[in-house]
Amino acid sequence: MSLFGSLTAAISGLTAQSKALGDISDNVANSQTIGYKRVDTNFVSYITQSNATVNEPGAVIARPDYTNAVQGTIEQAEQPLALAIGGQGFFSVALAKGTTNGQPVFDERQFFTRAGDVSLDKDGYLVNGAGYYLQGWPADAAGNPDRTILNPIRLNQQVFNPVATTKIDLAANLPADATTTPVTTQAQVYDSLGRLHTVNLTFTNAGTNAWTLDLSVPDDVNAAARGTVGLRFGTAASPTVTDGTIGAFTAATGSVTLPASSATGDPASISFTADFGQGAQTVKLALGQFGKAQGLTQYSGTDFSVRNNAQDGVPLGAYSDLSIRANGDVAVNYDNGQSRVIARVPLVAFNDPEKLQRLDGQAFMRTPESGEARVTDAASNGVGKLVTGSIERSNVDIATEFTKLIVAQRAYSANTKVVSATDELLQDTINMRR
């Protein structure tokens, strides 16, 4: 009977609008939740009978319409480690299911999220505000990521070990018109314990286009004087004709080692050995290239000028802070000016992210309908870019939700009117027997 059909249809309308109100209330409640994706409501009609001559009242149901792939507003955050995704993709995260010996034990299942409000916890893990652990590819000593492994990222390298100096790069100009020599400069070297030592470099004019270089290392436990080497500017065959570049080294005294050849373009470098108490340490003094206007030169002037004086040693470094770069590299920075990449944050893409299963804490799990998780570098293979120092806000628009709330409220009220009217008609039908 159509009256009963009308009553059933109206009741299904009440149920559907109730679900719509639930979706709206959930969205409004999470309007400030980082990485939250709103749930819209999709109404679907069910037909009892409908043809050219008869249309029986049916029903309506409300299904959730997910917006997992809809971008939320990206805004700058106070947390320096915060991350947002500009475009498609998700972060891979892990969930702790307990602890062993004070350390978290992780669930074997894979979880994903857009909530990148991460910070360091007490154990050195990167954890977001919902308690999920950010995962990344671990990096080797050279900072190259191992893309076959995804692990929770943890800071456990608090010290940067010192690196002994093996090379000094010196770029300077010896004054061809100087009337007073010698001229002196100093270079710094680190030993294997990270202690700093001085190398004295003294240049003395030895005639036309000729100089001598004396090296001394006051902290050497064996001898302060390292040795002397002669320098010729111009070509090795004709040192009296000069273009201001090193042409050749002449015989050396002391523990100074000269290169095997002096052909144009070969490195113009000498080596010396020093002992600071931990054994012999060989250091190469790089002065440019033979016949090239770089490194050590001799041009007109009366003043000795140094353009570059650098060495490759590093002192002991203590942890300073952690930073995440635009390519996803997680770098530990130390107070000695060095940094070390410990992991890289990848992004994960799905063929149909709307079919992901939603979980607590703005997290998701893959389903057969969503497709496989494709893990890739940021800004590649269809995933978005990383925005560092930022977070992605909820994609809920309050004005839109209030508008939908008014419509749902009116639709619910209208369905109650249909129930009331149908009830009166049914009552009239029953009263017909009286």
Side-chain angles (χ1 to χ4, degrees):
M1 181 179 178
S2 294
L3 286 178
F4 285 107
S6 299
L7 184 63
T8 302
I11 292 174
S12 71
L14 292 174
T15 302
Q17 294 302 328
S18 296
K19 292 182 178 179
L21 286 168
D23 292 340
I24 294 169
S25 64
D26 202 15
N27 293 338
V28 173
N30 286 281
S31 61
Q32 299 303 309
T33 303
I34 295 173
Y36 175 80
K37 300 301 180 181
R38 76 175 187 272
V39 181
D40 295 333
T41 307
N42 183 22
F43 296 98
V44 180
S45 66
Y46 279 81
I47 297 174
T48 303
Q49 181 181 0
S50 181
N51 54 45
T53 58
V54 178
N55 181 71
E56 292 290 342
V60 63
I61 65 170
R63 289 180 177 173
D65 189 7
Y66 298 112
T67 62
N68 302 337
V70 177
Q71 178 80 54
T73 302
I74 294 177
E75 66 178 41
Q76 188 173 0
E78 293 182 358
Q79 301 154 288
L81 298 177
L83 290 173
I85 302 173
Q88 299 298 305
F90 295 81
F91 299 112
S92 176
V93 291
L95 179 64
K97 62 180 181 181
T99 59
T100 300
N101 298 324
Q103 293 300 311
V105 177
F106 297 101
D107 195 313
E108 292 80 9
R109 295 174 296 174
Q110 291 181 307
F111 301 93
F112 311 95
T113 187
R114 295 275 293 196
D117 53 332
V118 297
S119 59
L120 279 175
D121 72 355
K122 62 181 181 63
D123 297 316
Y125 287 99
L126 286 173
V127 185
N128 73 5
Y132 287 89
Y133 292 70
L134 182 65
Q135 294 198 116
W137 294 319
D140 60 18
N144 300 313
D146 182 353
R147 292 178 171 83
T148 64
I149 304 173
L150 264 180
N151 288 329
I153 300 172
R154 186 185 185 192
L155 169 66
N156 55 10
Q157 301 177 11
Q158 299 285 351
V159 174
F160 192 98
N161 294 334
V163 178
T165 299
T166 60
K167 182 182 179 182
I168 300 171
D169 287 302
L170 179 66
N173 184 64
L174 295 171
D177 304 320
T179 57
T180 303
T181 58
V183 293
T184 302
T185 189
Q186 292 181 329
Q188 307 294 322
V189 298
Y190 288 98
D191 63 20
S192 59
L193 299 182
R195 295 179 300 196
L196 189 63
H197 305 276
T198 298
V199 177
N200 295 318
L201 305 174
T202 303
F203 297 91
T204 304
N205 190 290
T208 302
N209 304 324
W211 295 75
T212 59
L213 167 60
D214 296 302
L215 292 90
S216 65
V217 187
D219 294 340
D220 192 326
V221 298
N222 294 322
R226 289 290 89 205
T228 302
V229 61
L231 303 173
R232 288 283 188 180
F233 289 89
T235 64
S238 180
T240 57
V241 178
T242 182
D243 59 3
T245 63
I246 295 177
F249 290 135
T250 58
T253 61
S255 58
V256 177
T257 303
L258 299 181
S261 77
S262 58
T264 299
D266 285 350
S269 61
I270 60 177
S271 298
F272 64 93
T273 302
D275 188 344
F276 301 111
Q278 288 78 48
Q281 177 176 336
T282 300
V283 180
K284 179 168 70 174
L285 177 62
L287 302 175
Q289 295 179 342
F290 289 109
K292 301 289 185 178
Q294 55 180 293
L296 189 66
T297 58
Q298 177 200 248
Y299 288 112
S300 64
T302 58
D303 295 324
F304 175 62
S305 60
V306 177
R307 301 186 300 274
N308 181 49
N309 188 344
Q311 54 84 39
D312 61 359
V314 176
L316 178 68
Y319 171 78
S320 175
D321 58 35
L322 195 70
S323 61
I324 303 179
R325 300 168 182 171
N327 68 343
D329 282 349
V330 181
V332 185
N333 303 310
Y334 300 90
D335 62 3
N336 60 357
Q338 302 298 306
S339 63
R340 177 183 288 121
V341 174
I342 61 172
R344 177 174 294 181
V345 178
L347 295 182
V348 184
F350 298 89
N351 288 336
D352 190 356
E354 311 299 0
K355 297 298 191 297
L356 291 169
Q357 179 183 347
R358 294 165 71 102
L359 303 171
D360 294 339
Q362 306 91 265
F364 302 88
M365 285 181 63
R366 68 166 296 274
T367 64
E369 293 77 18
S370 69
E372 292 294 332
R374 305 192 311 275
V375 185
T376 184
D377 288 273
S380 67
N381 298 318
V383 298
K385 65 178 182 179
L386 282 177
V387 185
T388 59
S390 301
I391 56 173
E392 181 186 6
R393 286 293 182 186
S394 163
N395 64 359
V396 173
D397 180 76
I398 292 293
T400 301
E401 296 303 315
F402 281 171
T403 301
K404 292 190 295 184
L405 178 62
I406 294 171
V407 173
Q409 181 182 10
R410 295 303 182 191
Y412 189 93
S413 298
N415 279 282
T416 63
K417 298 298 184 183
V418 174
V419 173
S420 299
T422 304
D423 178 59
E424 292 178 3
L425 293 174
L426 286 171
Q427 186 63 46
D428 290 343
T429 303
I430 293 172
N431 290 338
M432 286 175 62
R433 186 171 178 272
R434 295 178 182 179

